[in-house]
Amino acid sequence: MWHNSYFLVPALLLFAAALYAAQAKRAAKRVPSPKGLPGRGLPLLDTAFLAGGPGRVFDTAFVRMHRDGRAVLNRAGLVTLTGTLAFDAVDQAVIEAAGPSRSGELGALRRAVMRSAAVQEIGDRLADRGLLRDPVRLRRARSARRLLWIALLDVVVFAVAAYLLDSDEPGYDRPALWAPLVMLGFGLFSLPASWPLKGRITPAGRRQLTLMNTGKPWKPSDRPAPLHARDATLLGAVALGGLTTAELADEQLREAMLASAAADQAARSAAHTGAGSSSSGSSGSSSSSCGTAGTWCGSSSDSGSSGSGCGGSSGCGSSSGGSSSSSCGSSSGSSCSSSSSCGGGGGGCGS
């Protein structure tokens, strides 16, 4: 038998879901530390992260170390560091990933550096100033929108139940079917306010890249002193366009790095596919290999993909309210891989 007071349940759920969805989207759009666009003066590794994600950061840093003789790559893909000189935190992350032996497989170094705190902090910094969207808040906004759809479905279920339980017996209400119609109208009206934001790069970030892609070679202003002007131009090309567009004289280096990025992207995609069929996706991460849900995700343009997979270029980093969280973990998947870009948006932190 039916009582119209039962409609209070879907009404409260719908109102709460609509309020949460609107709040989550506002939080995803919030810029904690807004600043003006730096024009062509964005630092080298910040440019690499903005244009291609964490995988691009590793590519740029490793090419820089290779050019000045601090890193050597053999035909088997084994990297050997010739010293412990680090110009910045990402260089230090490479050295720490190589370990006491000062050597390691290129793919393993790539994954470790992409998930390092140094790289994650770059993503956090760009998100704080409004050039990238915080992956944690984006996932929360998408989850909130799904909850709003579920609340709308509940309204339909209650309307059908009211019709089926209709009775002429005394003491019971005739279904007030106008109530679910009003709730559906409210829910549909609320949907546009929760429409998901698209892309990891904000409009300000796209304008920033446009300012740097003027057709003229871009040179970073923060390049270390030992590098020549031609090296600065090369690094600028790697940071902005990736390995496929930069004119690397060492073809063996290019092929090895592209192969490593492609292998990582394939592993990440496989992990992401496996995670999609499991319940781990409900936690807001796109892959189980990355671990934490607060990481940057993305894919690398060099590997030919641009999703949210954990990988290559977009992201193994972690961001939560503008501060870097923990590294992606062992592999990519949850933002990283999940979105851990460790790609995650994407499985391994890819290219």
Side-chain angles (χ1 to χ4, degrees):
M1 302 306 174
W2 181 259
H3 289 287
N4 284 325
S5 59
Y6 295 163
F7 280 129
L8 288 175
V9 175
L12 291 174
L13 290 175
L14 181 61
F15 179 77
L19 187 63
Y20 177 54
Q23 185 276 333
K25 184 174 180 179
R26 283 195 300 271
K29 296 172 68 175
R30 187 173 68 90
V31 179
S33 304
K35 298 179 182 178
L37 297 181
R40 290 172 66 86
L42 196 66
L44 175 65
L45 298 184
D46 287 41
T47 298
F49 199 112
L50 179 62
R56 187 75 58 79
V57 174
F58 172 81
D59 292 343
T60 305
F62 187 77
V63 169
R64 182 177 63 183
M65 297 180 75
H66 187 272
R67 292 289 295 179
D68 62 22
R70 289 180 293 148
V72 178
L73 178 69
N74 65 19
R75 293 182 179 276
L78 184 68
V79 175
T80 301
L81 304 184
T82 59
T84 57
L85 176 63
F87 291 124
D88 52 37
V90 176
D91 282 359
Q92 186 62 39
V94 176
I95 294 171
E96 292 175 358
S101 64
R102 296 184 186 177
S103 64
E105 192 268 328
L106 179 62
L109 289 180
R110 179 189 188 84
R111 290 188 292 273
V113 173
M114 287 180 67
R115 298 176 181 85
S116 67
V119 173
Q120 293 178 34
E121 287 169 1
I122 296 175
D124 292 335
R125 183 165 61 245
L126 293 172
D128 282 350
R129 67 183 304 170
L131 301 180
L132 288 178
R133 303 194 193 281
D134 185 300
V136 175
R137 295 186 185 129
L138 273 181
R139 289 195 300 275
R140 186 178 297 127
R142 290 169 184 146
S143 297
R145 182 175 174 82
R146 286 193 294 270
L147 290 176
L148 181 55
W149 277 109
I150 292 173
L152 283 171
L153 180 61
D154 287 340
V155 172
V156 174
V157 170
F158 270 74
V160 172
Y163 175 78
L164 295 177
L165 296 177
D166 185 13
S167 173
D168 293 330
E169 296 182 18
Y172 292 99
D173 300 331
R174 297 304 304 273
L177 295 181
W178 58 267
L181 291 177
V182 170
M183 287 186 281
L184 286 174
F186 171 77
L188 293 175
F189 179 79
S190 302
L191 280 175
S194 66
W195 197 262
L197 301 169
K198 294 183 179 180
R200 67 180 183 90
I201 303 179
T202 65
R206 288 192 290 271
R207 289 195 298 272
Q208 173 60 46
L209 290 176
T210 300
L211 292 174
M212 303 173 75
N213 281 300
T214 60
K216 299 178 181 179
W218 177 75
K219 297 179 182 179
S221 59
D222 62 332
R223 64 183 184 273
L227 291 181
H228 299 293
R230 63 177 180 275
D231 294 320
T233 301
L234 171 63
L235 292 175
V238 173
L240 273 178
L243 295 170
T244 56
T245 61
E247 296 180 359
L248 278 177
D250 191 333
E251 192 62 28
Q252 176 185 327
L253 175 66
R254 179 203 299 272
E255 293 303 322
M257 295 185 71
L258 287 174
S260 175
D264 197 31
Q265 179 68 28
R268 188 171 52 259
S269 298
H272 180 63
T273 301
S277 62
S278 70
S279 61
S280 64
S282 63
S283 65
S285 63
S286 44
S287 157
S288 61
S289 60
C290 213
T292 65
T295 50
W296 290 91
C297 278
S299 62
S300 164
S301 59
D302 291 332
S303 62
S305 68
S306 68
S308 60
C310 192
S313 336
S314 161
C316 200
S318 141
S319 168
S320 167
S323 66
S324 70
S325 53
S326 61
S327 65
C328 257
S330 64
S331 138
S332 73
S334 174
S335 154
C336 190
S337 279
S338 155
S339 168
S340 177
S341 195
C342 246
C349 256
S351 147

